[in-house]
Amino acid sequence: MSAHPIRRRFAARPADPESWIKAADTSRTDEAVRFTARLTIDITPNLRGRIKIVAFQRGITVADMLRDLLAREFPLITDGDRP
């Protein structure tokens, strides 16, 4: 009897997801982009769909659109801007 071949999955999850995520950003040169953190929020499937549609219509990724939104809502505060 012959043994069944070992089937490998199409794509396996990395053993260390954090290093895998950071490895994708190493080609970028912008200091602010190289030192990023993942943000997880819970939203409804309906809202997620609306966000994806708007991003597609604007021709950008959801991540880029949300980064711009957060940067607008929470601008960088300099020493001269502090109360």
Side-chain angles (χ1 to χ4, degrees):
M1 213 183 253
S2 64
H4 292 283
I6 297 173
R7 290 190 176 190
R8 296 181 187 235
R9 295 171 44 188
F10 176 73
R13 292 183 180 193
D16 183 13
E18 287 301 317
S19 66
W20 177 70
I21 291 167
K22 290 176 184 174
D25 292 337
T26 57
S27 63
R28 297 180 181 180
T29 57
D30 184 16
E31 288 292 316
V33 175
R34 283 192 2 207
F35 299 104
T36 60
R38 184 164 298 261
L39 174 65
T40 303
I41 59 171
D42 295 324
I43 59 173
T44 64
N46 188 329
L47 178 57
R48 180 176 180 260
R50 294 191 331 249
I51 292 169
K52 289 175 74 171
I53 289 170
V54 170
F56 179 77
Q57 290 171 337
R58 294 179 183 179
I60 59 175
T61 65
V62 170
D64 287 339
M65 184 177 74
L66 293 177
R67 280 186 203 108
D68 291 343
L69 172 76
L70 292 170
R72 266 194 327 270
E73 291 297 317
F74 304 100
L76 182 62
I77 298 173
T78 60
D79 288 334
D81 295 337
R82 293 181 195 268

